[in-house]
Amino acid sequence: KKNSPQVVQALCMRLEDESPAVRFFAVLTLGEVIERSEQALEVGQRVEINASMTGKLKGMNGTIAGFNNEDGSPVVLLDHGRVVTFHERDITVISEGVTGALMKLLQ
């Protein structure tokens, strides 16, 4: 799975801000975005559905409940209760805490 180019671009623009606090949090957030792109998916992680091919499910959140035995695709329990299997590229791990709030502000 790859990082959204728009998110990375928005964070890089914040690095040019005159405020040391904005630059500090941009660096922290950018580091987390890069780190998450390298992490393997794990059961229990919170994810957002991001693929346009998923139709009405795009933008919904859920939790990885397991992995498909045949191809290793993540099985996600969506917040509304439905269980769906996705390709790994169709989901993004959701950031938690302060960095998660900053990511929402930068998007």
Side-chain angles (χ1 to χ4, degrees):
K1 69 191 171 202
K2 298 294 179 195
N3 295 312
S4 166
Q6 294 87 3
V7 172
V8 173
Q9 182 180 16
L11 290 170
C12 288
M13 288 174 44
R14 296 315 189 274
L15 293 174
E16 298 171 6
D17 195 286
E18 292 182 17
S19 167
V22 171
R23 288 196 313 263
F24 174 77
F25 285 111
V27 168
L28 286 180
T29 306
L30 188 57
E32 185 175 322
V33 167
I34 292 168
E35 181 180 323
R36 281 188 289 124
S37 72
E38 303 300 321
Q39 289 179 342
L41 295 176
E42 297 176 4
V43 172
Q45 285 180 315
R46 295 281 298 154
V47 295
E48 178 180 2
I49 312 309
N50 60 25
S52 58
M53 299 297 287
T54 58
K56 295 180 181 179
L57 299 177
K58 183 176 181 177
M60 291 189 168
N61 296 334
T63 304
I64 297 177
F67 294 91
N68 185 316
N69 289 337
E70 294 177 13
D71 62 3
S73 296
V75 177
V76 178
L77 172 61
L78 297 173
D79 289 346
H80 63 65
R82 186 171 170 192
V83 177
V84 184
T85 300
F86 294 97
H87 291 284
E88 187 174 334
R89 68 178 178 268
D90 295 338
I91 61 175
T92 303
V93 175
I94 298 174
S95 180
E96 301 293 336
V98 175
T99 306
L102 287 170
M103 289 292 291
K104 289 180 183 178
L105 289 173
L106 295 173
Q107 291 181 345

